[in-house]
Amino acid sequence: MATFLYRLGRWAFRRRRLVGGLWLGALVLAVAAAAMAPAGEEEDLSMPGTESQRAFDLLDERFPESNSQGAEARLVFQAPDGQRVTARENKAAVEHTLGSLDGGDQVASVTDPYETGAVSEDGTIAYSTITYTADAVDLTEPTKSALEAAASQARGAGLTVEIGGSVLDAEESLGGTTEIIGVAVAAVVLVLALGSLVAAGLSLLTAFVGVAIAFGLVSALAVPLGLTSTVAILALMLGLAVGIDYALFITSRFRDERAQGSDPEEAAGRAVGTAGSAVVFAGATVFIALVGLGVVGIPELTKMGMGGAGAVALAVLVALTLVPALFGFFGERILSRAVRKATRPGSGRPRPVPTAGRPGLGTRWARFVLRRPVPVLMIAGLGLGAVALPALSLELGLPGDESKSVETTQRRAYDLLSEGFGPGFNGPLTVVVDTSRSGDTRATADLVVKTVRGVDGVASVGDPVLSRTKDAAVFTAVPQSAPNSGETKDLVQEIRGAVLGVEADTGAGILVTGTTAMNIDISEAMSDALIPYLTVVIGLAVLLLTVVFRSLLVPVKAALGFLLSVGAAFGVLVAVFQWGWAADLIGIEQTGPVMSLMPILIIGIVFGLAMDYEVFLLTRMREAYAHGAQPGEAIVSGFRHSGRVVAAAAIIMISVFAGFIGMSSPTIQTMGVGLAAAVAFDAFVVRMAIAPAVLALLGHRAWWLPRILNRVLPNVDIEGEALSRPVRGSATTADAGVPRLPVGRD
């Protein structure tokens, strides 16, 4: 692989105009496709095979009219202090407001709260449901403006009015300014790490190209593939983080090769053949872990994994081709000032830069760890263990309007409805009764209603509605507790257990569903899948690292370190999102369960990123050890060559992930906090403290591999050892190093 990538790097350097033109064309096509594509619709999570999903499927079959409706909005009215919404003036204001909406463009129906009984017992709060003929994404701006104008009209009459429902969700902004700050921090780190504005700009430019293409493709495919905005944001987040890092690794190796006296084309080939090999491996691990999310069985999680995997694959391709092509465009400006001053006049080939002098920070740190491996290992391991302790209290759930900022009208509408109609009003349960194999549908439905009404924790039960074919019935049960509470979770299980006797007596099928029940089922499925998925990821890590480093103990050490960093990241999520520690600093106004998708998603992503740092640090160590260095000397060599670059890459990735914490989406906020914490723990504690301490204690045993495995395992040559031997066609002739690829004219 190293030899092929070496030739690919030389080819991209020589054919830079062709390579640049191809990527520019791909960028233009992706942006154009995204601009012409219709906006995708935010879809609810589904979990095939669960009881709640089977109930939804039954509703689609027996009550098709329920799916013919479009978006819904709720206008929630609250009377001034000391007054009731049933008072004559307030009632007139409410009816006048609703009358202005009834019959409007795209409006299907408007309910009257005084006729439907949608008034709280104390008479202070009422709500109306506005149903539209189109989905939320298809509503026109005049339609949305009319809803907001109606709310403003009622506010002018002295009422408090908030808007809930799905209408405003479609226009909710996922963006913010903190991600710009994150990119700015990344740019500063690049400049400090590389000492060159041009080199820093190259890494940012190539990352932006890959991200723009990935984001454009996700946007263009949103409608045909049902991709949501969360998929696009994940692709943006991952593509930006790994794109900058991969370009940084290859650029740093290119500068090293130039500093040692290689000519530009040879340096580009060697950079792609060595650092590029590590990039391919690291990208492959992230790709496999993300694609593997599909085994969980949640379509939305599968789409997120595929979208993120596609962005990572693009980042790898950009790093292997566009980055060396830009080396040719920018020339000597990529190099540091010291190397440029050492360039031989008229030759363009720099003299090797002397490396003697005061050791760098990476070298000094490595030597410190070698002198005190046991204290470093104890402090780092116990520290991560302490941070991971809150993970024992991890609770999973899915965020709703209750998790949004109190500055949003959706959250205020949620709070008003909870105040007026009870905390369970925002999370009603839907009970579906399939009577196709039983007798009297009405009698069976009434019996189920009676049974559910007798379950403790049920606030109210609605009247059953029969299907047109009279072979199914549906009704609503409102819990006394809030949707994300443990009491509601227990209530769902109690209802399902209570109706088992009715099923046995009547032959009917009784299913409990609704958004709340679906969230509970998904959270349980995530909990059940967490350990198996983690086992698969750990097994994959050990296998891949055994092949790469030809060692048994190094992969085991890496896997255990990965578990520590992931556990600590989960501990941070629990402390922030469940317990509320430092929640105010990042704008978390409502604590509750951690989003159920996050643990598996973070495991999949962090697995690949952790392998990035493991590979880039340990390849230099193994390279030095293979050339005769003692174990301690090999550790110092790895930190001397890669420590600074890995630290810069980790800071960049943390900055990018942390930049998404300021977004208004709870999903993206949770992802930003979890990934930023995981990368920080893994890069700076596990890879830079625990890993060298363990290697120092193991000595020569760290690189031991049984002879039978040494014969069986393939040699992927990720360190580029083959490049230390003469490579066929590597001479600096006109056609040197060109792989068998279609080249055309440049």
Side-chain angles (χ1 to χ4, degrees), residues 234 237-238 285-286 289-290 293 296 301 304-305 394 396 526 530 533-534 537 562-574 577 594-611 657 666-682:
L234 178 62
M237 182 188 298
L238 279 178
T285 57
V286 183
L290 289 173
L293 292 172
V296 178
L301 190 61
M304 292 172 69
L394 178 66
L396 301 181
M526 291 294 95
L530 189 59
Y533 182 72
L534 186 59
V537 166
F562 167 69
L563 283 177
L564 277 176
S565 58
V566 168
F570 289 172
V572 170
L573 290 179
V574 171
F577 292 94
V594 174
M595 185 179 180
S596 55
L597 301 183
M598 284 303 108
I600 282 184
L601 195 60
I602 288 175
I603 287 173
I605 295 173
V606 174
F607 163 68
L609 302 183
M611 296 307 102
F657 289 148
T667 302
I668 302 302
Q669 280 186 319
T670 308
M671 199 182 304
V673 171
L675 291 177
V679 170
F681 293 139
D682 195 87

Side-chain angles (χ1 to χ4, degrees), residues 37 49 107 150 412 456 486 697 708:
V107 176
R412 294 195 295 268
D456 291 338
L697 293 173
I708 186 171

Side-chain angles (χ1 to χ4, degrees), residues 441-526:
T441 299
R442 173 61 68 179
T444 302
D446 290 341
L447 180 58
V448 176
V449 168
K450 181 180 179 181
T451 303
V452 172
R453 188 175 285 129
V455 177
D456 291 338
V458 175
S460 63
V461 178
D463 295 329
V465 177
L466 304 186
S467 64
R468 292 179 180 178
T469 55
K470 300 296 187 291
D471 58 355
V474 61
F475 63 89
T476 299
V478 178
Q480 294 176 354
S481 50
N484 267 333
S485 66
E487 292 86 351
T488 302
K489 179 180 179 180
D490 295 338
L491 177 63
V492 170
Q493 302 305 328
E494 289 177 11
I495 292 176
R496 287 172 173 170
V499 299
L500 291 178
V502 180
E503 287 183 322
D505 294 339
T506 63
I510 305 171
L511 304 171
V512 181
T513 188
T515 302
T516 300
M518 174 63 78
N519 292 349
I520 292 171
D521 287 347
I522 289 177
S523 298
E524 290 184 351
M526 291 294 95

